[in-house]
Amino acid sequence: MSVAACASRPEKSRGRLHAELGRVVRGPRDDFQRDRDRIIHSIAFRRLRHKTQVFVAPDGDHYRVRLTHSIEVAQIGRGIARALGLNEDLTEALCLAHDIGHPPFGHAGEDALKAAMTAHGGFDHNGHTLRTLARLECPYPRFDGLNLTWETLEGLAKHNGPVTNPGWALAEIDGDFALDLASHASLEAQVAAIADDIAYDNHDIDDGLRAGLLDLNQLMEQPFVAANFRAVEGRFPGAPRDRLLRELVRDQIGVMVNDVIAATTAHVADAGVASVEEVRAAGRTLGGFSAGLAAEERELKRFMYANLYHHPEQLAAAEAANKVVGDLFAAYAADPRLMGGDWPARLPGEIGATSRHIGDYIAGMTDRFAIDRYAEIFGRDAVPAALAHA
């Protein structure tokens, strides 16, 4: 079966939640292109430039942040989609939006919000991505949210597979605009998910080396990395080490991308699917690595967790970030007037809704904004040392 037969098509979209009557036509764009552009022009997307990717509130200009990561994911995802004949615009929209729901300080901030909101449904960044795009980002006169197509919302909800137990945020969106959470998502969404893995597997290596938290000898313990580095050295004998390492990252991305293209083509053929609806009903993920490379990639992830993400410096920064977010939540819960803008005026009356309102406010913060608000409330000297540089 041709992979292209399984592509999502904008003319067959299930539409948008709100009718856009009287809308001014702004250029010859289809619905998926319009979704992508709405995401790019959103305030939430712009805030990603000051949100943690690996390093909390990085003080180096060359480290990746959520914004640059999302752009790199989109570049990888679009290339894979083109090779497979899938819809590039839908793939790009999903890649660009997939991290919009991340709070400040990455997973450390998410853990703190989850703990603070335990009694009121908790917090997860993927559900908050949907909530941000469908509820909180409000540039249009007639409705809340960006009013994205069903296919974009579905892809964001299920890019990592079916959702059997959605959190409150995703459940609310699904209640308004049923996203068939029990099925798989489109191949475009599956490609966006694997492009995310490819991007951070390799670019986090680049940033880890730059920061001095990883070294080449450690990396050479990974057979996948060692084989690729030997190939790079063979092609460029005597080249400077820093250039060889950057070539290594590019090569590894290429190896992974080529594997995904070949493996996905084979998976689609084996499954015998011939439409996007058959992809959703296939009962398994079709877009991804071959079994061999999937095993190597899992081992690489284990290495990265042990040597970079759980490095003592990273753990100290995560602990400090967790404290900042937790203390901010407690301060706003005790006195909501401390929140900025019109957030106090829009405070709901019910305690659970109030908790979620505070969570929305904090989740929208950038790293530096959160640190500055912390300093305002508790004093600059109270900012944890691991974050004092920001």
Side-chain angles (χ1 to χ4, degrees), residues 66-141:
R66 287 285 167 189
L67 180 63
T68 56
H69 166 70
S70 297
I71 293 170
E72 289 170 338
V73 174
Q75 180 261 332
I76 293 169
R78 185 157 193 149
I80 295 171
R82 179 175 298 176
L84 293 172
L86 301 174
N87 189 282
E88 297 177 41
D89 299 309
L90 176 58
T91 305
E92 185 177 23
L94 295 169
C95 292
L96 290 170
H98 80 283
D99 271 354
I100 273 179
H102 268 286
F105 312 122
H107 292 287
E110 180 170 5
D111 290 343
L113 275 182
K114 187 180 299 182
M117 298 173 64
T118 297
H120 304 292
F123 178 91
D124 79 270
H125 75 266
N126 196 53
H128 196 71
T129 292
L130 275 291
R131 180 170 172 80
T132 300
L133 296 174
R135 295 282 180 85
L136 303 180
E137 188 81 17
C138 298
Y140 298 106

Coordinates of all heavy atoms in Angstrom, one line a residue, residues 66-141:
R66 N 12.8 25.8 24.2 CA 11.6 25.1 23.7 C 11.3 25.6 22.3 O 10.8 24.9 21.4 CB 10.4 25.3 24.6 CG 10.4 24.5 25.8 CD 10.1 23.0 25.6 NE 10.5 22.3 26.8 CZ 10.5 21.0 26.9 NH1 10.2 20.2 25.9 NH2 10.9 20.4 28.1
L67 N 11.5 26.9 22.0 CA 11.2 27.4 20.7 C 12.1 26.9 19.6 O 11.6 26.4 18.6 CB 11.3 29.0 20.7 CG 11.0 29.6 19.4 CD1 9.6 29.4 18.9 CD2 11.3 31.1 19.4
T68 N 13.4 26.9 19.8 CA 14.3 26.4 18.8 C 14.2 24.9 18.7 O 14.2 24.3 17.6 CB 15.8 26.7 19.2 OG1 16.1 26.2 20.5 CG2 16.0 28.2 19.1
H69 N 13.9 24.2 19.8 CA 13.6 22.8 19.7 C 12.4 22.5 18.8 O 12.4 21.6 17.9 CB 13.4 22.2 21.1 CG 12.8 20.8 21.1 ND1 13.5 19.7 20.6 CD2 11.5 20.4 21.4 CE1 12.7 18.6 20.7 NE2 11.5 19.0 21.2
S70 N 11.3 23.2 19.0 CA 10.1 23.0 18.2 C 10.3 23.3 16.7 O 9.8 22.6 15.9 CB 9.0 23.9 18.7 OG 8.7 23.6 20.1
I71 N 11.1 24.3 16.4 CA 11.5 24.6 15.0 C 12.3 23.4 14.4 O 12.1 23.0 13.3 CB 12.2 25.9 14.9 CG1 11.3 27.1 15.3 CG2 12.8 26.1 13.5 CD1 12.0 28.4 15.4
E72 N 13.2 22.9 15.2 CA 14.0 21.7 14.7 C 13.2 20.5 14.5 O 13.4 19.7 13.6 CB 15.2 21.5 15.7 CG 16.2 22.6 15.6 CD 17.3 22.5 16.7 OE1 17.0 21.9 17.8 OE2 18.4 23.1 16.5
V73 N 12.2 20.3 15.4 CA 11.3 19.1 15.3 C 10.5 19.3 14.0 O 10.3 18.3 13.2 CB 10.4 19.0 16.5 CG1 9.3 17.9 16.3 CG2 11.1 18.7 17.8
A74 N 10.0 20.5 13.7 CA 9.2 20.8 12.5 C 10.1 20.5 11.3 O 9.5 20.0 10.3 CB 8.7 22.2 12.6
Q75 N 11.3 20.9 11.3 CA 12.2 20.7 10.1 C 12.3 19.2 9.8 O 12.2 18.7 8.7 CB 13.5 21.3 10.3 CG 14.5 21.2 9.2 CD 15.5 20.1 9.5 OE1 15.8 19.7 10.6 NE2 16.0 19.5 8.4
I76 N 12.6 18.4 10.9 CA 12.7 17.0 10.7 C 11.4 16.3 10.3 O 11.3 15.5 9.4 CB 13.2 16.3 12.0 CG1 14.7 16.8 12.3 CG2 13.2 14.8 12.0 CD1 15.2 16.5 13.7
G77 N 10.3 16.7 11.0 CA 9.0 16.1 10.7 C 8.6 16.4 9.3 O 8.0 15.5 8.6
R78 N 8.8 17.6 8.8 CA 8.3 18.0 7.5 C 9.1 17.2 6.4 O 8.6 16.8 5.4 CB 8.5 19.5 7.3 CG 8.0 19.9 5.9 CD 7.6 21.4 5.9 NE 6.8 21.7 4.7 CZ 5.9 22.6 4.6 NH1 5.6 23.3 5.7 NH2 5.2 22.8 3.5
G79 N 10.4 17.0 6.7 CA 11.2 16.2 5.7 C 10.7 14.8 5.6 O 10.6 14.2 4.6
I80 N 10.4 14.2 6.8 CA 9.9 12.8 6.8 C 8.5 12.8 6.1 O 8.3 11.9 5.3 CB 9.8 12.3 8.2 CG1 11.1 12.1 8.9 CG2 9.1 10.9 8.2 CD1 11.1 11.8 10.3
A81 N 7.7 13.7 6.4 CA 6.3 13.7 5.8 C 6.4 13.9 4.3 O 5.7 13.2 3.5 CB 5.5 14.9 6.3
R82 N 7.3 14.7 3.8 CA 7.5 14.9 2.3 C 7.9 13.6 1.7 O 7.4 13.2 0.6 CB 8.5 16.0 2.1 CG 8.8 16.2 0.6 CD 9.7 17.4 0.4 NE 9.1 18.6 0.9 CZ 9.7 19.8 0.9 NH1 10.9 19.9 0.4 NH2 9.0 20.9 1.4
A83 N 8.9 12.9 2.3 CA 9.4 11.6 1.7 C 8.3 10.6 1.7 O 8.3 9.7 0.8 CB 10.6 11.1 2.5
L84 N 7.4 10.6 2.6 CA 6.3 9.6 2.7 C 5.1 10.0 1.9 O 4.1 9.2 1.8 CB 6.0 9.3 4.2 CG 7.0 8.6 5.0 CD1 6.6 8.6 6.5 CD2 7.3 7.2 4.5
G85 N 5.0 11.2 1.4 CA 3.8 11.7 0.7 C 2.7 12.1 1.7 O 1.5 12.1 1.3
L86 N 3.0 12.4 2.9 CA 2.0 12.8 3.9 C 1.8 14.3 3.8 O 2.5 15.0 3.1 CB 2.4 12.4 5.3 CG 2.7 10.9 5.5 CD1 3.2 10.7 6.9 CD2 1.4 10.1 5.3
N87 N 0.8 14.8 4.6 CA 0.6 16.3 4.5 C 1.6 17.0 5.3 O 1.7 16.9 6.6 CB -0.9 16.6 5.1 CG -1.2 18.0 4.8 OD1 -0.8 18.9 5.5 ND2 -2.0 18.3 3.8
E88 N 2.4 17.8 4.7 CA 3.5 18.5 5.3 C 3.0 19.6 6.3 O 3.6 19.8 7.3 CB 4.5 19.1 4.3 CG 5.2 18.0 3.4 CD 6.0 18.7 2.3 OE1 6.7 19.7 2.7 OE2 6.0 18.2 1.2
D89 N 2.0 20.3 5.9 CA 1.5 21.4 6.7 C 0.9 20.9 8.0 O 1.2 21.5 9.0 CB 0.5 22.2 5.9 CG 1.1 22.7 4.6 OD1 2.1 23.4 4.7 OD2 0.5 22.5 3.5
L90 N 0.1 19.8 8.0 CA -0.4 19.3 9.2 C 0.7 18.8 10.1 O 0.7 19.1 11.3 CB -1.4 18.2 8.9 CG -2.0 17.5 10.2 CD1 -2.7 18.4 11.1 CD2 -2.9 16.3 9.7
T91 N 1.7 18.1 9.5 CA 2.8 17.6 10.3 C 3.6 18.8 10.9 O 3.9 18.7 12.1 CB 3.8 16.8 9.4 OG1 3.1 15.8 8.7 CG2 5.0 16.3 10.2
E92 N 3.8 19.8 10.2 CA 4.5 21.0 10.7 C 3.8 21.7 11.8 O 4.3 22.0 12.8 CB 4.8 22.0 9.6 CG 5.6 23.2 10.0 CD 5.9 24.1 8.8 OE1 5.2 24.1 7.8 OE2 6.9 24.8 8.9
A93 N 2.4 21.8 11.7 CA 1.6 22.4 12.7 C 1.7 21.6 14.0 O 1.9 22.2 15.1 CB 0.2 22.5 12.2
L94 N 1.7 20.3 13.9 CA 1.8 19.5 15.1 C 3.1 19.6 15.7 O 3.3 19.6 17.0 CB 1.5 18.0 14.7 CG 0.0 17.7 14.2 CD1 -0.1 16.4 13.6 CD2 -1.0 17.9 15.4
C95 N 4.2 19.6 14.9 CA 5.5 19.7 15.5 C 5.7 21.0 16.2 O 6.3 21.1 17.3 CB 6.6 19.6 14.3 SG 6.7 17.9 13.6
L96 N 5.3 22.1 15.6 CA 5.5 23.4 16.2 C 4.7 23.6 17.5 O 5.1 24.3 18.4 CB 5.0 24.5 15.2 CG 5.9 24.7 13.9 CD1 5.2 25.6 12.9 CD2 7.3 25.2 14.3
A97 N 3.5 22.9 17.6 CA 2.7 23.1 18.7 C 2.9 22.2 19.9 O 2.3 22.4 21.0 CB 1.2 23.1 18.3
H98 N 3.6 21.1 19.6 CA 3.6 20.0 20.6 C 4.0 20.3 22.0 O 3.7 19.6 22.9 CB 4.4 18.8 20.0 CG 5.9 18.9 20.2 ND1 6.7 19.7 19.4 CD2 6.7 18.3 21.1 CE1 7.9 19.6 19.8 NE2 8.0 18.8 20.9
D99 N 4.9 21.4 22.2 CA 5.4 21.7 23.5 C 4.8 23.0 24.0 O 5.3 23.5 25.1 CB 6.9 21.9 23.4 CG 7.6 20.5 23.7 OD1 7.0 19.6 24.0 OD2 8.9 20.5 23.5
I100 N 3.8 23.5 23.4 CA 3.2 24.8 23.9 C 2.7 24.7 25.3 O 2.7 25.7 26.0 CB 2.1 25.3 22.9 CG1 2.8 26.1 21.7 CG2 1.0 26.1 23.6 CD1 1.8 26.6 20.7
G101 N 2.3 23.6 25.8 CA 1.7 23.4 27.1 C 2.8 23.3 28.2 O 2.4 23.2 29.4
H102 N 4.0 23.3 27.9 CA 5.1 23.2 28.9 C 5.1 24.4 29.8 O 5.1 25.5 29.3 CB 6.5 22.9 28.3 CG 6.8 21.5 28.1 ND1 7.2 20.7 29.2 CD2 6.8 20.7 27.0 CE1 7.4 19.5 28.7 NE2 7.2 19.5 27.4
P103 N 5.2 24.2 31.1 CA 5.3 25.3 32.0 C 6.8 25.8 32.1 O 7.6 25.2 31.4 CB 4.9 24.7 33.4 CG 5.3 23.3 33.3 CD 5.0 22.9 31.8
P104 N 7.1 26.8 32.9 CA 8.5 27.2 33.0 C 9.3 26.0 33.6 O 8.8 25.2 34.3 CB 8.5 28.4 33.9 CG 7.2 28.2 34.7 CD 6.2 27.6 33.7
F105 N 10.6 26.0 33.3 CA 11.6 25.0 33.8 C 11.3 23.5 33.4 O 11.7 22.6 34.1 CB 11.6 25.1 35.4 CG 11.7 26.5 35.9 CD1 10.7 27.0 36.8 CD2 12.8 27.3 35.6 CE1 10.8 28.3 37.3 CE2 12.9 28.6 36.1 CZ 11.9 29.1 36.9
G106 N 10.6 23.3 32.3 CA 10.4 22.0 31.8 C 9.7 21.0 32.7 O 8.8 21.4 33.3
H107 N 10.3 19.8 32.8 CA 9.6 18.8 33.5 C 9.7 19.0 35.0 O 8.8 18.6 35.8 CB 10.3 17.4 33.2 CG 10.0 17.0 31.8 ND1 8.7 16.6 31.4 CD2 10.8 16.9 30.7 CE1 8.8 16.3 30.1 NE2 10.0 16.5 29.7
A108 N 10.7 19.8 35.5 CA 10.7 20.2 36.9 C 9.5 21.0 37.3 O 8.8 20.9 38.3 CB 12.0 20.9 37.3
G109 N 9.2 22.0 36.4 CA 8.0 22.9 36.6 C 6.7 22.1 36.5 O 5.8 22.3 37.3
E110 N 6.7 21.1 35.6 CA 5.5 20.3 35.5 C 5.3 19.5 36.7 O 4.1 19.3 37.2 CB 5.6 19.4 34.2 CG 4.4 18.5 34.0 CD 4.5 17.8 32.7 OE1 5.5 17.9 32.0 OE2 3.5 17.1 32.4
D111 N 6.3 18.9 37.2 CA 6.2 18.1 38.5 C 5.6 18.9 39.6 O 4.8 18.5 40.4 CB 7.5 17.5 38.9 CG 8.0 16.4 37.9 OD1 7.1 15.9 37.1 OD2 9.2 16.0 37.9
A112 N 6.1 20.2 39.7 CA 5.7 21.0 40.8 C 4.2 21.4 40.7 O 3.4 21.4 41.6 CB 6.5 22.3 40.9
L113 N 3.8 21.7 39.4 CA 2.4 22.0 39.2 C 1.5 20.8 39.4 O 0.4 20.9 40.0 CB 2.2 22.6 37.8 CG 2.4 24.1 37.5 CD1 2.1 24.4 36.1 CD2 1.6 24.9 38.5
K114 N 2.0 19.7 39.0 CA 1.2 18.4 39.2 C 0.9 18.2 40.7 O -0.2 17.9 41.1 CB 1.9 17.3 38.6 CG 1.2 15.9 38.6 CD 2.0 14.8 37.9 CE 2.4 15.1 36.5 NZ 3.1 14.0 35.9
A115 N 2.0 18.4 41.5 CA 1.8 18.2 42.9 C 0.9 19.3 43.6 O 0.1 18.9 44.4 CB 3.2 18.3 43.6
A116 N 1.1 20.5 43.1 CA 0.2 21.6 43.7 C -1.2 21.4 43.4 O -2.1 21.9 44.1 CB 0.8 22.9 43.2
M117 N -1.5 20.8 42.2 CA -2.9 20.7 41.8 C -3.5 19.3 41.9 O -4.5 19.0 41.4 CB -3.0 21.1 40.3 CG -2.6 22.6 40.0 SD -2.4 23.0 38.3 CE -4.2 22.8 37.8
T118 N -2.8 18.5 42.8 CA -3.2 17.1 42.9 C -4.7 17.0 43.3 O -5.5 16.1 42.8 CB -2.4 16.4 44.0 OG1 -1.0 16.3 43.5 CG2 -2.9 14.9 44.2
A119 N -5.1 17.8 44.2 CA -6.5 17.7 44.7 C -7.5 18.2 43.7 O -8.8 18.0 43.8 CB -6.7 18.5 46.0
H120 N -7.1 18.8 42.6 CA -8.0 19.4 41.6 C -7.7 18.9 40.2 O -7.8 19.6 39.2 CB -8.0 20.9 41.7 CG -8.3 21.4 43.1 ND1 -9.5 21.3 43.6 CD2 -7.5 22.0 44.0 CE1 -9.5 21.8 44.9 NE2 -8.3 22.2 45.1
G121 N -7.2 17.6 40.1 CA -7.0 17.0 38.8 C -5.6 17.0 38.3 O -5.3 16.3 37.3
G122 N -4.7 17.6 39.0 CA -3.3 17.6 38.6 C -3.0 18.4 37.3 O -3.8 19.3 36.9
F123 N -1.9 18.2 36.7 CA -1.4 18.9 35.6 C -0.6 18.0 34.7 O 0.2 17.3 35.2 CB -0.6 20.1 36.0 CG 0.0 21.0 34.9 CD1 -0.7 22.1 34.4 CD2 1.2 20.7 34.3 CE1 -0.2 22.8 33.3 CE2 1.7 21.4 33.2 CZ 1.0 22.5 32.7
D124 N -0.8 18.1 33.4 CA 0.2 17.5 32.4 C 0.3 18.4 31.2 O -0.7 19.0 30.8 CB -0.3 16.1 32.0 CG -1.3 16.1 31.0 OD1 -2.5 16.1 31.4 OD2 -1.0 16.0 29.8
H125 N 1.5 18.5 30.7 CA 1.8 19.5 29.7 C 1.1 19.2 28.4 O 0.7 20.1 27.6 CB 3.3 19.6 29.4 CG 3.9 18.4 28.6 ND1 4.5 17.3 29.2 CD2 4.0 18.2 27.3 CE1 4.9 16.5 28.3 NE2 4.6 17.0 27.1
N126 N 0.8 17.9 28.0 CA 0.1 17.6 26.8 C -1.3 18.1 26.9 O -1.9 18.7 25.9 CB 0.2 16.2 26.4 CG -0.2 15.9 25.0 OD1 0.4 16.5 24.1 ND2 -1.2 15.0 24.7
G127 N -2.0 17.8 28.0 CA -3.4 18.3 28.2 C -3.4 19.8 28.2 O -4.3 20.5 27.6
H128 N -2.3 20.5 28.7 CA -2.3 21.9 28.8 C -2.0 22.5 27.4 O -2.5 23.7 27.1 CB -1.3 22.4 29.8 CG -1.5 23.8 30.1 ND1 -2.5 24.3 30.9 CD2 -0.8 25.0 29.8 CE1 -2.5 25.6 31.0 NE2 -1.4 26.0 30.4
T129 N -1.4 21.8 26.5 CA -1.2 22.2 25.1 C -2.6 22.4 24.5 O -2.9 23.4 23.9 CB -0.4 21.2 24.3 OG1 1.0 21.3 24.8 CG2 -0.4 21.6 22.8
L130 N -3.4 21.4 24.7 CA -4.8 21.5 24.1 C -5.6 22.6 24.7 O -6.3 23.3 24.1 CB -5.5 20.1 24.3 CG -5.3 19.0 23.3 CD1 -6.0 19.4 21.9 CD2 -3.9 18.6 23.1
R131 N -5.5 22.7 26.1 CA -6.2 23.8 26.8 C -5.7 25.2 26.3 O -6.6 26.1 26.1 CB -6.0 23.6 28.3 CG -6.7 24.7 29.1 CD -6.6 24.3 30.6 NE -7.1 25.3 31.5 CZ -8.3 25.5 31.8 NH1 -9.3 24.8 31.2 NH2 -8.7 26.5 32.6
T132 N -4.4 25.3 26.1 CA -3.9 26.6 25.7 C -4.5 27.0 24.3 O -4.9 28.1 24.1 CB -2.4 26.6 25.7 OG1 -1.9 26.3 27.0 CG2 -1.8 27.9 25.2
L133 N -4.4 26.0 23.4 CA -4.8 26.3 22.0 C -6.3 26.4 21.8 O -6.8 27.2 21.0 CB -4.2 25.3 21.1 CG -2.7 25.2 21.0 CD1 -2.2 24.0 20.2 CD2 -2.1 26.5 20.5
A134 N -7.1 25.7 22.7 CA -8.5 25.7 22.5 C -9.3 26.6 23.4 O -10.5 26.9 23.2 CB -9.0 24.2 22.6
R135 N -8.6 27.0 24.5 CA -9.3 27.8 25.5 C -8.6 29.2 25.9 O -9.3 30.2 26.0 CB -9.5 27.0 26.8 CG -10.4 25.8 26.7 CD -11.9 26.2 26.7 NE -12.7 25.0 26.6 CZ -13.1 24.2 27.6 NH1 -12.7 24.5 28.8 NH2 -13.9 23.2 27.4
L136 N -7.3 29.1 26.1 CA -6.7 30.2 26.7 C -6.1 31.3 25.8 O -6.1 32.5 26.1 CB -5.5 29.7 27.6 CG -5.9 28.7 28.7 CD1 -4.6 28.3 29.5 CD2 -6.9 29.3 29.6
E137 N -5.7 30.8 24.6 CA -5.2 31.8 23.6 C -6.4 32.3 22.8 O -7.1 31.6 22.1 CB -4.3 31.0 22.6 CG -3.6 31.9 21.6 CD -2.3 32.6 22.2 OE1 -1.8 32.1 23.3 OE2 -1.9 33.6 21.6
C138 N -6.7 33.6 23.0 CA -8.0 34.2 22.5 C -7.8 35.4 21.7 O -8.1 36.6 22.1 CB -8.9 34.5 23.7 SG -9.3 33.1 24.7
P139 N -7.3 35.3 20.4 CA -7.1 36.5 19.6 C -8.4 36.8 18.7 O -8.3 37.9 18.1 CB -6.0 36.1 18.7 CG -6.2 34.6 18.5 CD -6.7 34.1 19.8
Y140 N -9.4 36.0 18.8 CA -10.5 36.2 17.8 C -11.7 36.8 18.5 O -12.0 36.4 19.7 CB -10.8 34.9 17.1 CG -9.7 34.3 16.3 CD1 -8.9 33.2 16.8 CD2 -9.3 35.0 15.1 CE1 -7.9 32.8 16.0 CE2 -8.2 34.5 14.4 CZ -7.5 33.4 14.9 OH -6.4 33.0 14.1
P141 N -12.5 37.6 17.8 CA -13.6 38.3 18.5 C -14.8 37.4 18.8 O -15.5 37.6 19.8 CB -14.1 39.3 17.4 CG -12.9 39.4 16.4 CD -12.2 38.1 16.5

